[in-house]
Amino acid sequence: MNLGLAGQASAQSLLDNIKKTATQVTQKSMQGSSISKMLDGVIGSSSLSEKDLIGTWKYVGSNCAFSSQNMLAKAGGEMAAQKIESNLNPIYKKAGLSTANTYFTLSSDKKFSAKIAGKSITGSYSFDAKNNKITFQAPLLRSTCYVTKSGSNLNFLFDSTKLLSLLQAVSTVSNNTTLQTLGTLSKNYDGAKMGFALRK
């Protein structure tokens, strides 16, 4: 079928418009995904209620988030968070953390039980929904951590010194190596909170 020059030009114009629209949609989708990932790395970006915490959450790996978008941007964005997590994973491996021996169970009566590297911990907790903070009260875990959510994961995030104290309490991980690594991460990435990614 011969469309003629005008018809061909019109068809080409329509094809160009379709390509342009498809490109814009793809770019917006990628941009939205990128923004979503960036927000996952900021404490307080997701709204959580105490009901969201109830259940048994098993360790699936390391996680970190920053205290503000400004801190995240200064550190280098999503790549900085990934770098911190890659440094944490060997520490957790040395500490003996695995899905089988590390989990938290939070109940609606404000009690919790946990195993970290196989060491049992029981106690009580309180949740500050406004600031996304959990305060644990137990002999081996008397600490406050921040909570974030990314996808189906719940993340418990601590200041580096509190994370170090927890790891030292539950494992035989080398104090000097761990202290040096966590100290460097804390110094190089201001505002970073580090901890565990957990999943039901």
Side-chain angles (χ1 to χ4, degrees), residues 75-146:
E78 186 191 346
M79 292 299 292
Q82 290 174 355
K83 188 171 183 180
I84 291 172
E85 289 167 19
S86 69
N87 278 279
L88 287 174
N89 286 327
I91 294 174
Y92 291 167
K93 188 175 181 180
K94 283 184 180 179
L97 273 65
S98 71
T99 301
N101 69 13
T102 301
Y103 62 83
F104 289 79
T105 299
L106 280 71
S107 58
S108 57
D109 62 358
K110 304 293 181 72
K111 303 292 184 184
F112 84 93
S113 61
K115 272 193 177 181
I116 302 178
K119 186 158 288 190
S120 296
I121 303 172
T122 59
S124 60
Y125 76 92
S126 60
F127 180 57
D128 176 0
K130 183 179 178 181
N131 296 299
N132 282 38
K133 285 183 180 181
I134 295 179
T135 299
F136 292 105
Q137 294 290 340
L140 288 178
L141 186 57
R142 197 173 297 275
S143 182
T144 296
C145 75
Y146 293 91

Side-chain angles (χ1 to χ4, degrees), residues 3 11-12 28 32 44 64 69 83 85 127 129 139 142 145 167 169 174 180 189-190 197:
L3 296 175
Q12 184 60 48
K28 284 182 180 179
C64 84
Q69 290 185 41
K83 188 171 183 180
E85 289 167 19
F127 180 57
R142 197 173 297 275
C145 75
L167 293 177
S174 169
Q180 184 178 9
Y189 298 100
D190 190 27

Side-chain angles (χ1 to χ4, degrees), residues 142-184:
R142 197 173 297 275
S143 182
T144 296
C145 75
Y146 293 91
V147 189
T148 66
K149 193 167 186 182
S150 50
S152 57
N153 289 355
L154 199 67
N155 309 303
F156 288 178
L157 306 164
F158 301 81
D159 291 328
S160 59
T161 52
K162 290 180 180 179
L163 177 61
L164 176 62
S165 296
L166 176 59
L167 293 177
Q168 289 174 339
V170 300
S171 72
T172 56
V173 67
S174 169
N175 293 353
N176 291 336
T177 303
T178 306
L179 181 63
Q180 184 178 9
T181 303
L182 287 177
T184 300

Side-chain angles (χ1 to χ4, degrees), residues 48-69:
L48 291 166
S49 68
E50 192 164 317
K51 187 178 178 181
D52 295 321
L53 309 178
I54 306 305
T56 297
W57 299 88
K58 295 184 178 181
Y59 167 83
V60 292
S62 62
N63 194 267
C64 84
F66 287 79
S67 53
S68 69
Q69 290 185 41

